[in-house]
């Protein structure tokens, strides 16, 4: 029973090439459904991991990796298919790069792990919903770009939120060292 969340995560990883195949071959409805199933499986595996007390180191790494790889695949394919402007794709990737590098630096330098927060989860959910809607309903490039700009703004806002919280935590850690 404790392996079920990891099996779901591995299944989600296996859905990525299926999703890419459908989207690349412009079967938007099938691609959208696969994307939605993958996104919902993320919710299910997270719930089961907590409910079954089956949180694992593998899951902590593989789960966000699978989510991000699915999002990246969708964004890159939408760009390659001429349905998303390059600058939007680049901005989303820069945000993720900054978040990952910042998190790694905090871990390496201060041994502090930045955990996910409600605003990060909300922005990821909205990005997934927008990607799914754009694909499922074969939205035009203009509408896709407009919706993705909304998602991008929320993603950048969440990055700022993580930066502010991390800086507050760093200040708190420094104050505790001074008091000790």
């Amino acid at each position: 029973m404790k392996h079920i969340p990891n099996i779901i995560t591995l299944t989600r990883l296996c859905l990525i090439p299926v999703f890419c195949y459908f989207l690349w071959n412009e079967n938007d409805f099938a691609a959208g459904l696969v994307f939605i199933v993958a996104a919902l499986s993320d919710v299910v595996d997270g719930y089961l991991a907590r409910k079954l007390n089956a949180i694992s180191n593998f899951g902590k790494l593989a789960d966000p990796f699978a989510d991000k790889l699915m999002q990246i695949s969708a964004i890159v394919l939408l760009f390659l298919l001429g349905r998303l402007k390059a600058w939007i794709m680049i901005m989303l990737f820069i945000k993720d790069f900054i978040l990952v590098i910042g998190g790694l630096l905090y871990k390496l330098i201060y041994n502090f792990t930045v955990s996910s927060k409600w605003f990060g989860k909300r922005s990821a959910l909205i990005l997934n919903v927008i990607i799914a809607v754009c694909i499922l309903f074969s939205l035009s490039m203009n509408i896709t770009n407009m919706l993705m700009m909304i998602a991008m703004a929320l993603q950048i806002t969440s990055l700022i939120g993580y930066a502010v919280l991390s800086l507050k935590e760093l200040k708190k850690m420094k104050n505790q060292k001074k008091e000790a």
Side-chain angles (χ1 to χ4, degrees):
M1 289 294 278
K2 288 193 175 231
H3 298 295
I4 292 173
N6 289 340
I7 292 169
I8 294 170
T9 297
L10 289 171
T11 302
R12 188 165 59 257
L13 280 166
C14 293
L15 286 176
I16 294 169
V18 175
F19 163 77
C20 291
Y21 172 82
F22 285 133
L23 188 56
W24 185 251
N25 289 291
E26 299 185 41
N27 187 340
D28 287 3
F29 187 75
L33 288 179
V34 172
F35 190 90
I36 290 168
V37 166
L40 291 175
S41 76
D42 178 39
V43 174
V44 171
D45 77 20
Y47 171 79
L48 289 175
R50 287 184 296 280
K51 186 81 171 169
L52 299 172
N53 195 24
I55 296 171
S56 67
N57 288 331
F58 172 80
K60 287 179 187 178
L61 291 173
D63 182 63
F65 175 75
D67 301 337
K68 200 44 75 177
L69 190 57
M70 180 63 93
Q71 287 177 346
I72 289 169
S73 299
I75 291 165
V76 168
L77 284 175
L78 285 171
F79 166 71
L80 291 174
L81 291 168
R83 294 166 59 181
L84 184 67
K85 297 268 186 195
W87 72 269
I88 296 172
M89 177 183 69
I90 291 166
M91 289 297 293
L92 288 168
F93 291 166
I94 288 171
K95 175 262 173 192
D96 283 337
F97 179 77
I98 292 170
L99 192 64
V100 168
I101 294 301
L104 286 173
L105 287 174
Y106 263 76
K107 182 66 176 169
L108 293 172
I109 296 169
Y110 303 108
N111 198 26
F112 169 68
T113 302
V114 180
S115 59
S116 62
K117 304 293 182 205
W118 66 269
F119 50 83
K121 291 178 182 185
R122 180 198 63 197
S123 68
L125 170 68
I126 292 170
L127 177 60
N128 279 341
V129 167
I130 287 174
I131 290 170
V133 166
C134 291
I135 293 170
L136 194 61
F137 297 106
S138 303
L139 297 181
S140 70
M141 182 181 200
N142 289 337
I143 294 172
T144 296
N145 285 310
M146 183 183 67
L147 291 173
M148 291 296 279
M149 284 189 280
I150 293 168
M152 180 179 59
L154 290 170
Q155 292 279 308
I156 291 169
T157 301
S158 75
L159 175 64
I160 293 167
Y162 282 116
V164 168
L165 286 178
S166 297
L167 291 172
K168 283 181 181 178
E169 185 64 29
L170 181 60
K171 185 176 180 180
K172 188 169 95 177
M173 288 169 34
K174 286 183 177 182
N175 286 338
Q176 288 172 345
K177 282 185 180 180
K178 284 181 185 177
E179 293 172 2

